[in-house]
Each structure stands twice: as C-alpha cells, then as structure tokens.
Amino acid sequence: MKVSKNLMVYLVLIIISAFFLLPVIWIVLSSFKAGTSLYKWPPELIPSQPSIENYIIAFKKGNFGLFFYNSFMVTILSTMVTLVINTMAGFALAKYKFKGRDLLLIGFISTLMIPLEVIMIPIFQVITKLNLYNTFVGIIVPPAATPTGLFLMRQYLLSVPDELLEAARIDGASEWRIFVKLILPISKPVLSVLTIFSFMWRWNDFLWPLIVISTPEKYTVQLAISNFVGQYNVDWNGLLAISVITMIPVLIVFLIFQKQFVKGMVTSGLKG
Amino acid sequence: MEHRIKQKKRKINIQRALAPYLFVFPNFIIFFIFVVIPAAYGLYFSFTNYDGLSEEEFVGITNYVKLFSDSDFWDTMLRTAIYSGIVVPTIYVFALGIAILLIKEIRFKGIFRAIIYWPTMISFIVVGVTWKWIFGDTFGIINYLMELGGQKGIPWLSESFYATLVVIVATLWSRIGFFMVIFISGLQSIPSEFYEAANIDGAKKWQMFTQITLPLLKPTSVMVIMLAIIDSFKAYPLIVSLTGGGPGRATTYLVQYIYRFGFEKNQLGYASAMSVILFLIILITTSIQFKVNKGGEI
Amino acid sequence: MAKKSLVVLLILALSIAMFSGCGKEETGENVSTGTDTSSQEGTTNDGNSNSADNEKEDVKLDILWFADGVETEAMQNVMDNYKVENPHVEFNMIEVAYSDLDSKLKTMIAGGTPPAIARVTNPGLLFDHAQDLSEFMGGYDTFTEQYMDSLEPYYTKDGGVYAVPMDVTANGLIYNKTLFDQAGVDVPGSPEEVWTWEEFEQAVIEVKENSDARYGLLWDVTSHRWSTLLYEFGGSIINEAGDGPAINNEQGVAAMNYFKKLHDTDVIPKSVWLGGENPNNLFRSGTAVAHLSGNWMLSNYRDITDFDWGVTYAPKQATRSSVPGGKYMMPFKNTGVEEEAMKFLEYFAKAENTGQYCSDSLFISPRLDNSELDYEYGKEMFAIFSNELANTPPAAAKDWSRQDIMPVVNPDITDAIKDVLMGEAEAQEALDKVAQLITETIEAQ
C-alpha cells in the first residue's frame, strides 16, 4: 500500500517537474543552434550541429565579465541591506503595538501596488536631485526596501509567542538584544527564503538600472540583454544564449541556500 | 532605591516605546523617498496635462472625467480582472498542493523544489521569450509536436482565446515556484504535535487538512493571495515580451495600457490618472481581504 | 541604552553615507574595458591628455544610441576619426533597445541630465529641448540646402535647425530568389515592368504553391510600413491642405480592406500582425516568399547563405510608392557641452563623413551630394530603393513629417489595422476613429 501511494506521489511530482523543466531544456538546446539553423523547419529537437557560436556572439556584444561582476555586486549588497531593514521593520510591525502601526503596514504594502513603470519619471527626478544618477548606490538602496520581504518577515514573526518576548524582558534584556539574540536566530529559515528571493529580485532588476545607469561600465546583465533587441530586429541567437547565461548564477545561489533553509527548519523554538 | 528602580523602569519603558519606531525607520525612509514622493508627484501629474517633456498645465479633474467614458480603459480593466481571477486561485491551489507533496519524506525533494522554483528566478523578459519560442505560430515546438501527433497546429498567438491561455500558462510557470516556497515555509512552521495529537484522536487526512493545516496557514494564505493579486494586476514585462499585448489588444492589460499612454503617446497626465485608479482598485481589494482575515493573525 | 544610541547613530550614519552619493563603489569601477568607443589610448577623464592640444579641457559626450545592424561600428569609426583631431573628446555611447529609447530619453530630460546627443526617429517632439544649430552650421539655408527637401520638416522649425539627418530609409520589397526560381516565377526587371497588386498577389500565391515556401508576403508591424499600401492606393493620412484627416476616405478604406483580404486568404500570414511573429526571423528561415520592409534590412540579411535573395520593385495600385523615413542626431540644451556636441555634428555632417557612415551601414544618405555612394555591397539594390523614393507621391513625406500629429496618431493607426484584421471592426469604422483623433489633435494645437 505504502509503496504504491508513494509511487503515485513520485509520478505526480515527475510530471509536474517535467512541465517546469522542459521549457528551460528547450531553450538551452536551442541556444546551441547557430545562425539560421535555429529557424529550420522541421525543428531539430537535438541540434545536429551543436555550436557555441551564439554564446560567442553574446559575449562579444559587450563586456559580459564586467556586467556579471556588476550584477553580482549590486545583488549581494542590496540583499544585505534588505535582510537588515526588512527584518527590523517586520519585527516592529509584528510584535509591537504602536501608533500608526497598521497604517504603516498598509502603506508599505501599498508600495507593491504601484508598478514602477508608471512612476518612472518622478523616480528619476528624485534620483537626480539626490545625486544618485549613474551610481551603484542608486540601484542598491532604493529597491532594497522590498515590501514583499517586509511582509514576509512580519507574517513569519507574527507567530513568535509573545510570552517569549515578555520572558526576555523580565530578564532585563533590551529591545535590541531581544532582536539580535532571540528574533534573528528564530528567523533563520525565513531569512534564507528572503535571501533567495532578494537575490532573484535584484538579479533580475531591469527598470531600476535602465533609469539610473547611463555608462556601459556600470551595466548590469539584464540591461545588456535588451541590447539584443533593435528597432526592427530581434537577434534570437544571441538572445537565447544570453538568457541561458543569466539563469545560471541564480540557480547556483538557490542550490546553496536550499540546504541552509532545510537545516534551519530543524531549529525553531516554536515547536510546542 | 525605589526611586532608582522607578527611573530604570521609566527608561526601559521609553526604550520600549521608541524601539518600534527605530526599527521601522530605515525601511520607512527609503520607502518614503523613493516611493511616496514619486507617487505624490504622480498624483500631482494626474491633475495636469503633463507630456513628460514640457511644462505642465493644471487641468483639474479633466483626466478623470475623460477616464470614466474611456471604454478602451474599462475593457482593459475587465481583461486584467479576468486574467487575475483565473491566475490567482490557480496559483494558490497548485502552489499549496505542490508544497504539501514536497514536505513529505521523499527522496530528491530538494531537486524537485529546485526544478519548480527555478523558473521564478528567470527574469520576466526571458520567460516571455521562452514561451514565445515554444508557442510561436511559426517556429514553436508545440505546433510541431502537434503535427507529429496528427493534429493541425493552432495559431496560439494569433487568436485572442489561445493567446490569453498561453499568457496564463506562462504566468503560472514563472510564479508557482515562488508561492510554493512560501507555503513550504508556512507549512513547516506548524508544529507536528498538532498532527500527532489529531492522529491519536483518529482524525482522517482530510480533516487534519481542513481543521489544522488551513487555519494555521492563514497568515501565509493571506500573504500569498494578496501578493498574487497585486502581481497579476501589475503584470507587464512577461506579457509584453510574450505577446506584445496582442493579438490586437487581447492580452493588453492595465500596466501596458498605462505605459503606452505615458511613453508612446506622451500623455503622462492621463496615464497618471489611470495609475491612480489602478492603485485605488488594488488598494481596496487588498484592504478588504486584509480586514476580513484580521491581518492574518491567528 | 548606550547600545541603543550606538545603533541609532549607526543607522543615521549609514543613511547619510548612502545618500551623499559618494559611494565607494564608484571610484573603483571607472575601468572602461571592452567598450571601444571611449578611447584608443586609455585617456581618462581627469585631464591626462597626451595630445598637443593642451588648452582644451577634456570633454565627455554622452550619445544615446540604438541600432539594428552594423551602424554602431560605422558610427564608432566616425568617432575614432574625429578623435584624431580632437583627442580631448571622449564619447560615451549609451546603447538601448529601440523600444526603450523613448522612456530613457524622457527620463533623462525630465531629470535634468539630457544626453549631449541622441539618435532619434521623431525629432519633432523634442525641438523644445534641442540646441539650435542653424548659426553654428553657417545659416539655415546654407545647411538645409545640402539635404533632401522632403526631410526638412523633420528637423527644422521656424528657421531653426534642431537635428542633423543621419540616414534616409525607404520602404521596399525584398524577395526570396531561390523560391521564385523554384516556382519559375519572374520579377519585374525594370521600372517599366512594375507589377500591379493583382499581379503581385498572383505571383506570391504561385510561388507559395510551387516551391518549398510556407509563408507568403511578410509585412512589418508598423503603421509606417502599412502606409506604403495606403499611398499605393492613392490615399493619404492627412489631407492635402494639411488641416484635416484623409485616412478614412474611399482610397483609405479600399487599402484597408485589401490588406484584410490578403490576410484572410493567407497571402500574408496572420502570425505576423496578430501573433507577434518577427518577419525578419521568418524571412531568414528561407520559407517566406517576400518581405515588405526597407533598405535597412540589407545589412542585416547580408549574411544569409542558405538561399538567394534580392530586391525588386514594389507593386503599384493607383500609383507606385515607397515611404521615406530617417534617423537624426539631435544635440540637447542644458548639457554643458553643447558647443562640443555641435562641433562633432558639424564634422559628421560633412559629405565625406556622412557618406562613409551611410555606405558602411548600408544606408541611403540624406545628403544631396551623396547620391552616388560606393556601397561595397548591394549597389543595384540601392538603385532600386532610390528609384522607389523618386516615385513616391509627395503625400508620403508630407504625412510623416507632421511631427505634431504623427507620433500621437501612429499607435492608433496600428490598433485600427489590427482591429480590422481581427474582425473586430469594419474598415470604415476603424478609420473613422483614427480620423477623429487626427481632427482632435489638430484642433488642440
């Protein structure tokens, strides 16, 4: 009985995984088809003459080593900022009662409801007035105050028992100490999640760099992708290759943090 | 001695009272400078005829009046609502379902999670490109496979119904992993003692699900639904790179519509008015959901 | 408590450091690797000039740019040559996708940091922010006389010159020779033999049925390209007097209905206008009969080796027609480097430099004295395009140079076409809506 039920589960999971995996596989396979063989009909499932020409085109089109470095640096720094400020704010909103709390929460979340595209120009005006135009700070700091991250932390910290905090206070701990010694350790699992999320958000940021950055030395990878789309023309060959390249770092980060995430779950003073 | 204790108590009380404000401050200041202020500008623009380049003139509520009789706008709003209405419940059900499967003791669950999560890490532009490459009327592999199977290919992207379908599928593909991870996190924070106790009481799987899992998952559920709704109303880069909003206007949703007015047609004032309406609608929807669920507090 | 104030201080300090804009990230990253526009010998911004010209301060010109093919390298050549005489100038080419050009440029201007120069297709919208070049270039007449007449409305206004024409484009017909040969169908060999639309339609159908072709005629998804058909049918967008719409007249409706017919009978595949399929990719696959596009595709299709292709005469209806288009280099005000920007544009505008740029990128030159450019590829094809332009009714240039109307109306024309193709509106209805918009736009002036 148990075996067949587990088998069912495995089967379902495999089918689901196929749905998620096959498109990526197809893109990867396609990226190894050079020139017009990409458009051959009938299409070859596996390229008969695989070539890395597309990747060479993609690398040539710009200084991709530098772009990757920029993207990495911006992503890592911004993630660090996010972890700190989102957790602090999430803690305040979850475990304190203070005036304006609910208003602030709704305010933060409502930020999410404003698509960046529609306030591009005012944002740009603010950026230039603050002298952040064409600076890395301009694409590290502003997006770091992620409303989703804040919401995530707040929801998670809601389930921290108040008794735990009270006990610590009675013991004479300061609020900051409670934050560092109690809250942070408890939040490890969700912090791992937030790290993964933040990495992904910042890595894929496109609009912020488009608005703020003007010199090629500071381009991030996503900006570089858009160079493959001209006024009349879409360079599929280069586009597919560069798309594949950009998917890899995020995957690696995920695989690394996945283990931490699972480990972290075993902790939690939440049980019981 | 008592006086000292009272002083210390007061100090602590002040500290406690100030703490939340200080904790919230960094997040708040960034949010204020880079979102509130530009949004305020945006609100101001909605009362002008700003074209993005030259001096703007104040025109009062002209834009809003025009908006109410703009049938194209309301058509777009309806289309967006339908898209959202299909995508959100589907994401919820699938993300939760998959999460439940993946917290069991299964080998390779790390790999499964990674595979399902990976698409969410791909930038929207690339997702759009990927699915366009797959479903494209001419080069798409799907039609080829269909023809192999003896079926005639479908003009996936040239007909409204199918184009909408493809957009929905691409959205699901690129978002389910994200919500699955959130659900996994939520599910795992439910103490297993609850399940053990219920087991002892002889509860069935389904009962455990509805009586224990769902209620305790409320904060997570609220968040998932809220984020999914907001996401779907803001959908833009994925759809534009997949269908360009086509065929015709079949997959043109609100943000694309607003963006066109703002940048292609140079009517930033009008576009701002539309943004305000969009914002209000999302705000009202999520506030209602929030209040009804008491903020997700258990 | 002390710890608390420390934290507060830290946060405050962090915030200040962040917002003072002197990020440590900036100083280390000024290595311009790989972008060969900036300098040949590593001259940096801080005055380490190694030329004899020691009085000139180092200047950096931001050029906002987009490209479809090889024109970026062609422009870089021009810039490199300019730097030989002007080593104090450094060029920073900011390349964006064409679809992002608008928003990037507008945010730059609105934010108070316009680029020194931008490559644009709709200069008319930006005149208020552009630097007037007329005096610098030796006077309005002296300058404009050197260029094609039809371009004048695009880059001038009220006696001022606000941009320098870079290249002229012409719409035209590219076809797949291999497929035509397979089917045994001929194309017109000279302007006298130009085919009518009926004849051309037949030819496409014949080629499609008697060769390996899978798709018929490809048509770019822009109202600019569609208007080729409109003019060939004897219609126009704006009336002759220039004070009202003409797009919804008899000829306009006829053109629209014919376009729909071509789609309904699969002479034109629906996947392009409706399915978002890219005509370039389709043509490259070698399975499409022809592509109604323009001369800018020549440098793009040049590397096709799987099949033979060429340019032939576009069909006529009431008349022949092409549609002119072009790109312009516009210098902006309030950049602090207006003078240097204009000097570079003056250099570019010289016959030999514009000519070199155009022949390298395989574009048509806007200068009257560049009519015999030595294209190292496709000379005969250019001759056909020039012939098309020469046989274009004046309405085409008159319409599209109306920078006060076309940018506003353009997207609506495209929408109208799509509505008709999808069967959601009748031709007359859809065109009436556009006409209404044109009237409103003119009235609002």
Side-chain angles (χ1 to χ4, degrees), chain C residues 253-423:
Chain C
V253 176
M256 184 70 93
N257 280 330
Y258 185 67
F259 197 61
K260 180 163 183 354
K261 176 187 170 222
L262 290 175
H263 276 82
D264 288 342
T265 52
D266 204 32
V267 172
I268 299 181
K270 284 194 176 160
S271 56
V272 174
W273 270 81
L274 296 181
E277 199 68 72
N278 197 300
N280 307 330
N281 298 329
L282 276 176
F283 190 76
R284 278 181 163 272
S285 70
T287 56
V289 173
H291 184 188
L292 193 315
S293 180
N295 68 296
W296 59 88
M297 284 316 292
L298 294 182
S299 70
N300 186 290
Y301 285 158
R302 189 170 168 178
D303 61 354
I304 293 181
T305 49
D306 300 341
F307 59 92
D308 281 334
W309 60 275
V311 173
T312 184
Y313 299 94
K316 65 180 178 196
Q317 189 70 359
T319 165
R320 287 177 61 190
S321 183
S322 170
V323 185
K327 319 268 199 306
Y328 303 82
M329 293 259 266
M330 177 173 264
F332 286 92
K333 293 197 282 209
N334 301 323
T335 58
V337 291
E338 292 89 333
E339 181 98 14
E340 288 289 348
M342 291 198 287
K343 278 184 68 190
F344 174 66
L345 289 181
E346 187 189 16
Y347 177 78
F348 178 80
K350 290 202 182 134
E352 63 268 21
N353 294 322
T354 306
Q356 188 65 45
Y357 169 77
C358 286
S359 71
D360 283 346
S361 336
L362 299 184
F363 287 148
I364 299 177
S365 173
R367 293 186 58 87
L368 294 171
D369 49 14
N370 276 162
S371 52
E372 287 294 316
L373 281 183
D374 192 19
Y375 296 104
E376 46 125 4
Y377 172 80
K379 267 194 156 117
E380 339 73 57
M381 300 197 247
F382 275 99
I384 298 182
F385 279 115
S386 301
N387 183 274
E388 298 276 24
L389 271 185
N391 283 285
T392 300
K398 274 175 80 176
D399 277 349
W400 286 97
S401 59
R402 286 299 292 267
Q403 296 288 299
D404 51 334
I405 300 178
M406 292 315 294
V408 177
V409 169
N410 195 338
D412 290 74
I413 299 181
T414 314
D415 280 346
I417 300 170
K418 288 183 182 174
D419 281 345
V420 172
L421 290 178
M422 285 189 53

Side-chain angles (χ1 to χ4, degrees), chain B residues 225-247:
Chain B
I225 295 182
M226 201 189 270
L227 289 178
I229 292 180
I230 295 177
D231 264 358
S232 62
F233 268 91
K234 272 170 47 177
Y236 175 66
L238 192 161
I239 301 180
V240 162
S241 54
L242 217 192
T243 62

Side-chain angles (χ1 to χ4, degrees), chain A residues 36 39 41 63 124-125 128 133 135 137 141 210 213-217 219 226-227 229-234 236, chain C residues 18 26 31 33 67-68 92-95 97-98 104 107-108 110-111 214 225 278 280-281 285 296 300 306:
Chain A
T36 51
Y39 307 115
W41 193 270
N63 188 3
F124 187 73
Q125 289 167 329
T128 36
Y133 182 61
T135 63
V137 174
V141 171
L210 181 70
I213 303 291
S214 69
T215 48
E217 305 99 64
Y219 275 7
S226 68
N227 278 336
V229 186
Q231 183 184 11
Y232 300 118
N233 195 19
V234 173
W236 275 107
Chain C
M18 284 178 191
E26 274 182 81
V31 183
T33 40
D68 289 296
N92 175 32
M93 229 170 177
I94 306 175
E95 192 168 348
Y98 180 67
K104 181 82 182 164
T107 42
M108 285 175 90
R214 294 179 72 217
R225 220 77 72 243
N278 197 300
N280 307 330
N281 298 329
S285 70
W296 59 88
N300 186 290
D306 300 341

